[in-house]
Amino acid sequence: MANERLRGAITAAGLKLEQVAERLGVSPKTVERWISDPKRKPYRRFQYAVASMLHREVSYLWPDERTSEEVTASSDSELVKLYPHRNVVPQDAWVKLYASATTHFDVLVYSGFWLTEDTRFHRLVREKSAAGVPVRFMLGDPASEAVAVRGEDEGIGLAMAGKVRNALLNYGPLFELPGVEFRVHATTLYNSIYRSDDEMLANGHIYGVGAYMAPVLHIQRVPGGEIFDTYAESLERVWDGARRIASPTDCEGAYK
């Protein structure tokens, strides 16, 4: 059955599907599918955006969806621990996180240089590769504007690009491992994300402060929660837009 409530609310607001789509940054066909196909519901962030645009409750437009209070209650359980700075996170937290990985082993950073010097982490990558676990590294392209801007933000200038290059060199022996893939991105990152299956550490990026001094969220996926999936979707978008490299020097000059 079509979502006549959504169709009616759009009409009552004096809007056309094209206008709704333009405001949301999606195609008109996508909005039409939300109306005509009950199985094609928008992501939660779009549900809230549509409800706000039409001055209706999410639960009115999509009656089977949970209220914001229910979503908040579930999301409260997603936060395992909040660390005020990355440098107070226990040194073995990263290895413990990835030790349990069976389906997702993802590292999204600009350089994450400190992790490249941890021999335990290198050994763990080798073990997971041998076990058939896909391992994905996403580092900033040292020639990209995004890395240059982050270097200025942290007050280290060109040293940021140097850290990325050094990190890639440190990872050199891992490039040939089966199931291990490296990509470089030119994305503006607001967090470094370290994901292992249904757990992750999200290290915020703050203007004028190195990532080691920024907060870290330890998050777990909980049924009904949305925080974990929000970060996970962001990571996937960076992965999709990043470029695969076969060696530590493949990225040189990519964005010049």
Side-chain angles (χ1 to χ4, degrees):
M1 182 180 296
N3 189 337
E4 296 301 338
R5 288 190 177 187
L6 177 56
R7 191 195 306 275
I10 293 174
T11 301
L15 297 173
K16 297 181 178 180
L17 298 188
E18 292 78 9
Q19 293 173 299
V20 174
E22 182 178 0
R23 295 186 186 184
L24 297 176
V26 300
S27 70
K29 288 184 178 180
T30 295
V31 178
E32 175 58 38
R33 283 194 290 267
W34 293 344
I35 296 173
S36 62
D37 186 350
K39 295 181 180 180
R40 296 296 296 272
K41 294 179 182 178
Y43 287 121
R44 172 65 65 162
R45 64 180 182 274
F46 286 132
Q47 290 181 7
Y48 281 124
V50 171
S52 176
M53 184 190 310
L54 303 179
H55 304 290
R56 301 296 178 95
E57 292 291 334
V58 170
S59 57
Y60 170 80
L61 298 174
W62 292 277
D64 57 341
E65 291 296 314
R66 297 169 302 145
T67 65
S68 58
E69 289 79 9
E70 291 172 326
V71 173
T72 299
S74 297
S75 295
D76 284 343
S77 300
E78 291 186 272
L79 180 62
V80 178
K81 190 175 182 62
L82 169 63
Y83 297 96
H85 311 293
R86 194 187 71 201
N87 63 354
V88 301
V89 179
Q91 291 184 349
D92 62 351
W94 317 91
V95 174
K96 286 183 177 179
L97 176 77
Y98 285 116
S100 60
T102 58
T103 57
H104 290 84
F105 188 126
D106 300 324
V107 178
L108 170 59
V109 294
Y110 276 130
S111 71
F113 182 75
W114 56 277
L115 196 57
T116 73
E117 296 185 310
D118 190 331
T119 57
R120 298 171 303 170
F121 180 70
H122 280 251
R123 183 166 58 250
L124 185 57
V125 172
R126 293 180 178 279
E127 291 173 357
K128 293 301 178 180
S129 169
V133 178
V135 180
R136 304 189 299 179
F137 286 95
M138 291 154 269
L139 280 75
D141 191 295
S144 69
E145 181 180 359
V147 169
V149 170
R150 183 56 190 169
E152 294 300 321
D153 289 349
E154 289 194 12
I156 61 175
L158 296 177
M160 176 60 73
K163 287 174 63 177
V164 177
R165 292 187 178 94
N166 288 338
L168 288 169
L169 288 173
N170 285 352
Y171 281 140
L174 304 181
F175 273 78
E176 301 301 322
L177 295 178
V180 177
E181 184 173 348
F182 284 83
R183 294 189 181 185
V184 291
H185 64 84
T187 308
T188 298
L189 293 185
Y190 301 100
N191 300 272
S192 294
I193 300 176
Y194 308 84
R195 179 185 179 180
S196 170
D197 293 352
D198 288 340
E199 284 192 71
M200 68 170 61
L201 294 167
N203 185 188
H205 292 180
I206 298 176
Y207 181 80
V209 176
Y212 71 97
M213 285 296 292
V216 173
L217 302 177
H218 184 180
I219 306 168
Q220 63 182 349
R221 173 178 272 143
V222 172
E226 297 185 353
I227 298 176
F228 183 96
D229 286 340
T230 296
Y231 281 103
E233 288 173 13
S234 174
L235 184 150
E236 292 301 330
R237 285 194 289 272
V238 176
W239 177 257
D240 290 342
R243 183 174 59 85
R244 183 173 184 174
I245 58 174
S247 75
T249 58
D250 272 1
C251 60
E252 292 304 320
Y255 291 87
K256 290 182 179 178

